[in-house]
Structure formats: C-alpha cells, structure tokens
Amino acid sequence: MILKVKKSHFKLFIFSAFTLLAILTGVGSGIFLSYERDLPKISQLEDYRPNTMSIVYGINGEKIGEFAIEKRIPIAYSSIPDVLKYAIISAEDSRFFKHWGIDIWGILRAIKENIIAIRAKEGGSTITQQLARLLFLTPEKTLKRKIKEMLLSFQIEKNYTKEQIFTFYCNQIYLGHGVYGVEAASQFYFGKSAKELNLGEAALIASLHRSPQRYSPYINPNLSVSRRNWVLDRMKNEGYITKKEAVAEKKKPIILNPFPKQINDYSAYVLEEIRKYLEEKYDTRTIYEGGLKIYTGIDPIAQKLAEKYIKDGIRKIDKRQGWRKPQINLLENGVHDLENYKMSPWPRRFQEGEIYQGMTLLSEKDKALIRLGNLTGILDKKEIQWAGRDSIQRLIKKGDIVSVKIVTIDEKNNLAILSLEQEPIVEGAFIALDPRSGEIKAMVGGYSFHKSQFNRAVQALRQTGSAIKPLIYAAALQDGFTPASILIDEPITFFDRWTGKPWTPKNFKDSYKGLVTLRRGLEESRNVVTAKIVEKITPERTIEYIRKLGITSKLDPFMSLSLGSFEVSLLEMVSAFSSFINNGIRMKPYIIKRIEDMEGNILEENNVEAHEVMPAAYAYLITNLMEGVVKRGTATKALVLNRPIAGKTGTTNEFTDAWFIGSTPSLIAGVWVGFDEKKSLGENEVGARAALPIWIDFMKEYLENQPVENFTAPPNVVFIKIDRMTGLLATPYCSHVIEEAFIPGTEPTKFCSEQEHYKISDYFKTIQAIE
C-alpha cells in the first residue's frame, strides 16, 4: 500500500525540516564560535621547534651519543622516502591528500568497523586532527576536545600545505622507547636513516604510533609482526604495493638493531666530558632540547676497542688478585623461591660473550647450576681454575648471586655454558690521540661509567713511576747528553738539598749493571741512571723542561722526581709524549671540533693550539730511544705488532700504579691501571704485565688493516753504527752493533776496543760484588 501524504502536510514537513536544520546550524555555529575564541593560535606553527635532542658525532659523522629529554631528529619532507609516506598514509589516513582536515567518509568507515567488531577497533581522526591534538590539545576523550580538534584541523589545512602538515606530523609522533619522529625511530629500531628504509621496515614504523608499547618489536615481537603485516595489507588495498610484494614482505623476519642496554657505557666518559663543557657555555634547554650538533674527533672504532680491552684487561688483572666471595645470598635475605625470583638487571635477551649476574640454584664439587632469567646455566669445574679452588662448592653456594660470562647458548633447550667472573675492584683508564692534531680519538675513564663517573683519564692524579723517564731523558738530550753518553749504574745515596734528607734510589730487584749508555739506561729503565741525570741537570731545570711538555700538575724539585714520585694525569702524560712523535710540536688535546645549531650555523669551532716545546732533532732522538725500549727493553711484548712502536712502561713503588704509553707515527695511546685507594696490585704487577697487554690488544686490532708507518728523522740527524755496550764507534770487537741517531757534531769519535769491553766487564763485576 502506498502511503499518500497531503500536499499541505508535505510542505509543512519541508518547512519544519529546514527550520530545525537552521536552528541546529545556528546552535552549532554558536558552539563552534564559542570554542574558537579559546583555540590556540596555529600561527605558532610558523615558529614550531620540537624538542630536539643534541647529537654527538664521531670523526666520520657517526652518531656516538646524545643529550635529550625526548629522542628526536627532525627530518625534511624531501628526506622522507615514498615507501614510508605510503605506509603512514595507509595506516593512519588513506584520504589525507583529498580531505580538508576532517574526513567524513573515514569517520563513517570507522563507525562501521567498530560496530562490526563490537569494540573501538578503528579511529576516525585524520593526520591533521592527530597533529592538532599532539601540538595544541590534551589527549582527554571529550566532546569539547573533539570539537576544538576539528576546528584546529580546519585552520591548519587552510594555512599550511599537505606536505608541511605531513612533515610536522612525522617529526612529532611518539614511536616508543623514548623516541619521537620517524628519523629517530628509524635509527633506533634499524640503525639507519629513514631514507634508507625498505618496505617492511617502513611498514613497521608506520604501525607503531597507535600503541608504541603494545606493538614494540622488542616487547611483543609476534604482535609487532602482525601489526606490520596489517600495514602491508593496507598499502596493498590502497594500491601502493602489489599483492605479490605484500605476500613476499610478510614472509621476511623483522631484523632489528640490538636493543640498547639499560645502562649503556659506550662513550659514556667522553659524553660526560662534553656535557660538562656544554653546561659551562649553554643553558640546559639548548643542550637537551635545542638540537645541537657536536662534532668530535672521536673514532668510534677506536672507542669501542678501548672500552672492550680496558674491561678485558682489568678483569684479568682483578682475577690475579684472587677470588672474593659473593656479597649477596638470596636465601640468607629471605628469598626462597629461586626458580621464580626476578632480578632487575636481566635483559630480555641474553648474548654470548656478555657478563651477567646470575643466581645459584645448585652447587656441587664439579658443577653448579646458575639461573639467568629463563636460561639454566651450567658452570663446570674447568671454568673456575683462575679462582684457585678444586671444588665449586668452596667458591659459591646455593642462593649466591655471582657474575658469569655466557660461553655458548642453546636457545632450543634454554641452556647456557658459563664461566665464572667477578666484579672487578681494580680500575683503569685509556686515552688515544692523534699526535699531529691533538684530536682525542678514544677515552675511557674507568671500568664502568655506571659504577663510577670519576674519569681517571683526566681527573685522577697518579704517580708515574718510570713512565716519567722519557721526559727526563728529553731534558738530558737538550742539556748536552747524547744517546751514547756513559753513566755508572751503581748503588748510590744522594743528599736532597730540598728535603735535607739522604735519598737512595734502587733499581728493580736491586740489580745494577755498572757502565751503561744513556740508551741502555732508558731501555732497561735503570732508576739510578735517571737519578744521576736529574742530579746533573738539577731538579729545578728538569722541571722547567717537563713544564714545556705540557705537564701542569704540581711538581716539587726533589730528587725523587727522577722516579716519577709526583702525581699527574694520564691525559697530561699522553699529551707530553705526543710532542716527541710530532717533531717537538705539542698539539693541545681536544675532543670537540665544532658545535652547530639545529640549522647548521656554527656556534663555535676549535682553534688548534700548537706549541713548539723542543727542536725536532731532539724530539726524534727521544722517539728513537723509545723505539729501543720496545726492541730491546721493558716493552718487548709489543714486538708482536710487527711495526715501528715507540713507548715506555711505568711502575711505581709497591706496584700501586702500572703504565704504558706507546705510539705509532699517527696514533699515541696511554694505559693506566691501579686501585682508586692506591694499594698494591700485587707482586710483579709492573707496567709490562698489567698495562702493556691492554695497549697491545687495542693496537693489534686497531692497526690490523692499516699500513705500516715509520718514524721519520729530520734532516739534521745522522745515523752512526756504534757499540751498544760502550757507546763507541763500532769495530769488529763489538758484538752489539746498532745504528744510533745523533745530532751532527755530537757523535762519538773514539772506536770501540777489546780494552773498553774489559773495562765494562770489570765495572759489572765490581757492582755484583757490592750487591
């Protein structure tokens, strides 16, 4: 039956409808106008500057650290790859380039999807609405906020292009783990710039914004894959990729950057030195939100190797101190369910070769079971030999928290093979720099920045021991000595006119050699020889020479100066040694090369400071003498590198400090090892045993693919064959002929003879009799 309506009634209905629409429009307009008065000015976008982290770069532009409240790296529209644009638009707002801020069809589609799913499955907000909410509004879900959001969206669309809006959005969105914006997210998750993302990686980043915590590939990898695949399907449906491409990409695993450790020690001491410098010159907001770009001379390869080998070396030395029983036992602290107890330092994923804290579930004579999260670790008897016990039960007991290294992991069975470790109490420091420029290439201030922020490379003042000798020998050369000068190595007592007391230096193990050349004195680190040099020059003039090399720490003119009794920093020592390698020119060490603001304007640039501290010929002579220390002296272990090396070991009384400073023509590095409280490292823990192996391990890997370089003599140096034992011109009687460097006019004129060798032999016998 067809319902018939009178014409007058129909007219009345139409009139009423239009009247109601007019009333609703008026009311709506009134509401919109009332809200519009309270809206923030979108003109703020003209000066929009998101909180942007300041980034520290290494020598080749690699990022080595950051200072940030929010981890954000701004990106321009032109740098956003199409694959990422399509992924974001497909996931968030497929009609972005067609609507004017509000997408009615998108809202209707979302309502339909939510009704079908009987839950809030889809949102109807456009990218413009999301941007308005992110920049100007709170996330509260109210009608008032939604109206403001829509009004702001209209204004944004009216005043800015789609490209500008999309760029604002890509720089503002939160994508998990403290990361804001697509560029920072790309570097965080994949270790690459956004412009390098492939299809699957772009889809994953586009999938995160709705719920970064829930969809994080680190937290929920399976759910993350599903969400990525959903984005791929959306891209296929929108025509950005083919079905074949979507299917192929879905089959690929997500390959991520290793998740950053909660406590990241990488470059921590370097970054702390930079932070302290920045805080002296810039306000906090500029440092942490201003997007500074700090360019340094740090070589990331050298830095990583320095940190690795300092840690490895310190652990080896610490083990020689003996086993220290565990400090915590969970059973004794009221924890009885060891199988389910959670330890906060445990990561989500364990890695082979890394050291972790584990809890002891079982301890027997030949085996122990150590729990590491969901892994059961097996500690075998052979892995505790360094601790000097024949039974594991004598070392650890059930409930003990112990340090262990994972040797291998059987993920299928959740098993791991472990070796026993202990948290070191020995400390160390490392610095490497380019002697030609002063650029610091690597710096490590201790075993762990998390454990101690005190930077032992620059802040700790320690006695140098024999490491000071090249500085004193450099003074000797400038004061008239030559490498062939003869001194007598014998027991002797000096009267120190400053202290008014007698002072008797002793050689290592009270060994004396009689007549020795200056070269042998340095190569074999003869303490008496060095003391006699200081006596001849005088302590006051010796200090004058040392000061020229850049040592600024307090020095007293005592005879004990000759054995490095004063305290100095590792950085000072490495910088002083660099003068020898760089032809007598000391380049002031520095980390920061330049600082730029967010737009790339240079705020400051390092002005290289060069100081001529000695003539080039004398600098080469001392370098050549230090080469002898490696060839024939206390640092022969470094010969394994099979390249020219100049360096010097250092050991203090009671073995409290161990040093080695050594160099190639293009890189000088120094290592210090000791306890913070200045106690003995143990018998025979000399520089050659404690510090030099760390230096060798570093250099061996760092120099692996680099060409061999030679130290080059300046024109005013001549080479003469002499007898190393007597310092005289070589003859057939000589059994230890070497080619010695001299400044013309200072070379020996007398030839070696059998009689001269007898003289040395007689002196040596006399010294032995005295001993």
Side-chain angles (χ1 to χ4, degrees):
M1 179 177 68
I2 299 175
L3 181 64
K4 294 183 179 180
V5 181
K6 288 184 179 181
K7 191 174 183 180
S8 59
H9 289 176
F10 178 73
K11 289 181 179 180
L12 180 61
F13 171 78
I14 294 297
F15 175 77
S16 300
F18 272 104
T19 302
L20 179 61
L21 181 61
I23 293 171
L24 290 174
T25 301
V27 172
S29 298
I31 294 172
F32 273 79
L33 288 171
S34 66
Y35 282 132
E36 191 174 33
R37 284 193 291 269
D38 297 331
L39 291 178
K41 302 296 182 183
I42 65 158
S43 58
Q44 295 174 17
L45 280 171
E46 297 289 349
D47 302 315
Y48 170 66
R49 291 291 185 274
N51 293 340
T52 304
M53 62 183 175
S54 295
I55 301 177
V56 181
Y57 296 98
I59 189 67
N60 294 317
E62 307 95 325
K63 175 184 168 183
I64 62 172
E66 64 199 32
F67 301 107
I69 294 174
E70 297 176 351
K71 297 178 182 178
R72 190 196 314 271
I73 306 172
I75 189 172
Y77 183 81
S78 59
S79 296
I80 304 172
D82 288 342
V83 69
L84 183 57
K85 293 174 186 173
Y86 300 152
I88 292 173
I89 289 171
S90 298
E92 297 295 335
D93 186 357
S94 61
R95 288 169 42 80
F96 173 68
F97 284 101
K98 299 176 182 177
H99 62 65
W100 31 269
I102 306 298
D103 184 8
I104 301 299
W105 296 111
I107 294 172
L108 294 175
R109 186 188 70 250
I111 292 172
K112 183 189 77 171
E113 292 290 335
N114 292 338
I115 291 172
I116 294 172
I118 320 180
R119 62 184 175 87
K121 181 182 178 183
E122 295 291 333
S125 295
T126 64
I127 282 176
T128 313
Q129 286 177 275
Q130 292 182 51
L131 179 64
R133 182 166 66 250
L134 287 169
L135 292 178
F136 303 113
L137 302 170
T138 64
E140 60 179 344
K141 295 181 179 181
T142 63
L143 179 60
K144 181 178 180 181
R145 194 270 292 164
K146 197 66 178 177
I147 293 173
K148 286 186 174 182
E149 179 185 293
M150 295 170 70
L151 287 171
L152 284 169
S153 298
F154 295 148
Q155 291 187 27
I156 291 172
E157 290 275 347
K158 180 181 177 181
N159 288 277
Y160 298 95
T161 66
K162 288 290 186 178
E163 288 77 11
Q164 288 175 309
I165 295 169
F166 190 78
T167 304
F168 287 142
Y169 178 81
C170 285
N171 282 318
Q172 188 66 26
I173 53 176
Y174 178 62
L175 295 168
H177 302 288
V179 174
Y180 291 81
V182 297
E183 177 64 21
S186 178
Q187 295 191 20
F188 179 82
Y189 289 106
F190 301 110
K192 61 174 72 172
S193 174
K195 61 186 178 184
E196 301 173 290
L197 292 172
N198 61 38
L199 174 58
E201 292 164 345
L204 184 133
I205 286 180
S207 75
L208 294 170
H209 178 52
R210 288 299 172 97
S211 184
Q213 181 80 1
R214 186 173 181 226
Y215 296 131
S216 167
Y218 295 116
I219 298 173
N220 296 309
N222 292 333
L223 189 58
S224 179
V225 169
S226 297
R227 180 69 178 174
R228 177 203 65 178
N229 292 348
W230 175 83
V231 174
L232 291 169
D233 284 336
R234 291 286 305 126
M235 295 178 74
K236 178 198 68 176
N237 294 340
E238 293 300 322
Y240 293 120
I241 61 174
T242 66
K243 181 178 180 180
K244 183 177 179 181
E245 287 174 318
V247 171
E249 202 64 37
K250 286 180 183 181
K251 293 178 180 178
K252 296 179 182 179
I254 295 174
I255 301 175
L256 300 165
N257 249 356
F259 188 79
K261 295 180 181 178
Q262 190 173 8
I263 300 162
N264 188 2
D265 271 353
Y266 172 62
S267 295
Y269 287 103
V270 172
L271 295 173
E272 179 63 8
E273 290 303 306
I274 292 172
R275 184 195 65 78
K276 288 191 291 187
Y277 174 83
L278 293 175
E279 290 194 344
E280 289 179 359
K281 303 196 69 175
Y282 302 92
D283 60 83
T284 300
R285 185 170 183 178
T286 300
I287 297 170
Y288 295 96
E289 302 175 27
L292 297 179
K293 300 171 186 175
I294 303 107
Y295 294 92
T296 75
I298 295 295
D299 182 339
I301 295 175
Q303 184 65 32
K304 289 174 183 176
L305 292 176
E307 294 182 9
K308 169 181 168 56
Y309 289 118
I310 272 288
K311 278 183 164 58
D312 289 351
I314 286 175
R315 282 192 171 276
K316 290 175 184 176
I317 298 165
D318 190 80
K319 286 178 180 178
R320 297 200 290 264
Q321 310 299 307
W323 170 253
R324 296 183 296 277
K325 67 178 184 178
Q327 299 297 306
I328 299 175
N329 183 280
L330 295 176
L331 296 177
E332 294 173 0
N333 283 272
V335 177
H336 300 291
D337 187 3
L338 300 180
E339 296 287 349
N340 297 306
Y341 182 75
K342 293 183 179 180
M343 289 179 59
S344 57
W346 280 338
R348 295 184 180 91
R349 186 183 182 87
F350 293 91
Q351 297 181 357
E352 291 181 356
E354 294 293 323
I355 296 170
Y356 304 96
Q357 294 284 299
M359 62 177 71
T360 309
L361 302 178
L362 173 71
S363 180
E364 298 176 341
K365 180 180 179 180
D366 298 326
K367 182 180 70 173
L369 298 181
I370 312 292
R371 180 172 164 244
L372 296 164
N374 63 341
L375 290 178
T376 298
I378 301 172
L379 180 63
D380 190 83
K381 185 178 177 180
K382 67 180 181 180
E383 299 294 346
I384 67 162
Q385 291 179 357
W386 67 265
R389 303 288 194 278
D390 59 0
S391 170
I392 294 180
Q393 282 179 320
R394 296 181 61 192
L395 294 173
I396 58 177
K397 60 182 182 291
K398 184 176 180 179
D400 279 344
I401 301 298
V402 292
S403 292
V404 289
K405 179 189 285 187
I406 297 181
V407 181
T408 60
I409 296 178
D410 178 358
E411 294 186 354
K412 183 177 179 181
N413 297 302
N414 288 334
L415 292 175
I417 303 299
L418 310 175
S419 63
L420 185 65
E421 297 286 336
Q422 69 180 4
E423 189 66 14
I425 56 175
V426 174
E427 278 295 351
F430 182 100
I431 280 184
L433 60 82
D434 185 338
R436 301 163 300 189
S437 66
E439 283 183 349
I440 293 176
K441 298 298 183 184
M443 175 190 289
V444 184
Y447 176 77
S448 167
F449 184 79
H450 171 64
K451 179 180 173 183
S452 169
Q453 286 77 54
F454 182 66
N455 190 337
R456 295 156 189 83
V458 297
Q459 292 177 283
L461 299 179
R462 305 294 297 218
Q463 290 185 332
T464 62
S466 298
I468 195 62
K469 289 176 180 175
L471 279 63
I472 294 172
Y473 277 65
L477 292 172
Q478 295 174 83
D479 208 63
F481 285 84
T482 77
S485 295
I486 292 291
L487 297 101
I488 303 176
D489 181 27
E490 62 185 347
I492 189 172
T493 296
F494 299 93
F495 182 79
D496 196 314
R497 60 191 178 87
W498 284 91
T499 64
K501 297 178 181 179
W503 179 69
T504 304
K506 292 184 177 181
N507 288 336
F508 184 58
K509 295 185 177 179
D510 285 338
S511 171
Y512 302 91
K513 295 295 180 71
L515 290 176
V516 298
T517 61
L518 189 83
R519 172 176 287 282
R520 284 188 66 198
L522 183 62
E523 289 180 354
E524 299 172 17
S525 202
R526 316 305 298 175
N527 290 342
V528 169
V529 172
T530 312
K532 286 190 172 184
I533 291 172
V534 171
E535 182 193 37
K536 173 69 168 58
I537 301 174
T538 73
E540 292 85 354
R541 291 194 62 212
T542 302
I543 289 175
E544 289 178 16
Y545 283 117
I546 292 175
R547 288 284 187 217
K548 288 181 181 179
L549 295 172
I551 301 297
T552 59
S553 295
K554 185 177 184 294
L555 304 175
D556 292 315
F558 303 151
M559 282 299 298
S560 59
L561 171 78
S562 60
L563 303 188
S565 61
F566 61 85
E567 297 179 330
V568 64
S569 74
L570 177 61
L571 178 58
E572 285 179 282
M573 289 294 288
V574 173
S575 176
F577 272 55
S578 71
S579 307
F580 308 141
I581 312 303
N582 194 40
N583 297 315
I585 307 296
R586 187 181 78 87
M587 309 301 290
K588 185 178 179 181
Y590 66 94
I591 297 177
I592 297 173
K593 298 177 72 173
R594 73 180 185 278
I595 300 175
E596 298 178 0
D597 64 15
M598 190 185 301
E599 281 76 32
N601 301 309
I602 296 177
L603 301 179
E604 59 179 278
E605 197 163 11
N606 177 66
N607 294 317
V608 176
E609 289 187 34
H611 304 275
E612 185 176 2
V613 299
M614 68 173 66
Y618 291 111
Y620 176 79
L621 291 187
I622 192 64
T623 299
N624 190 259
L625 289 175
M626 289 195 297
E627 281 191 89
V629 174
V630 175
K631 291 176 181 177
R632 295 172 292 270
T634 58
T636 54
K637 288 180 181 178
L639 289 173
V640 70
L641 297 175
N642 197 30
R643 61 174 67 219
I645 300 291
K648 183 68 183 77
T649 55
T651 311
T652 58
N653 288 339
E654 307 300 327
F655 307 101
T656 58
D657 300 87
W659 298 71
F660 182 74
I661 302 171
S663 184
T664 68
S666 59
L667 187 73
I668 185 166
V671 176
W672 167 85
V673 177
F675 289 103
D676 283 341
E677 62 273 29
K678 297 187 181 181
K679 67 178 184 179
S680 178
L681 285 167
E683 190 69 21
N684 294 325
E685 290 289 351
V686 294
R689 187 177 189 225
L692 178 56
I694 296 173
W695 188 94
I696 291 172
D697 287 342
F698 168 85
M699 281 292 187
K700 188 173 185 179
E701 190 166 348
Y702 183 76
L703 299 173
E704 188 173 16
N705 297 313
Q706 296 188 22
V708 174
E709 299 176 277
N710 292 295
F711 296 102
T712 305
N716 56 335
V717 170
V718 296
F719 292 89
I720 307 293
K721 288 185 178 181
I722 68 166
D723 174 42
R724 179 174 174 267
M725 304 303 290
T726 63
L728 302 177
L729 295 173
T731 68
Y733 289 104
C734 305
S735 58
H736 299 85
V737 177
I738 62 170
E739 198 170 58
E740 187 61 88
F742 295 94
I743 293 174
T746 67
E747 60 266 37
T749 57
K750 185 177 179 181
F751 284 92
C752 177
S753 65
E754 191 174 358
Q755 182 181 1
E756 293 296 334
H757 276 280
Y758 281 137
K759 185 187 295 184
I760 288 179
S761 179
D762 288 341
Y763 266 111
F764 184 61
K765 290 176 181 176
T766 302
I767 297 301
Q768 283 185 315
I770 294 173
E771 291 181 51

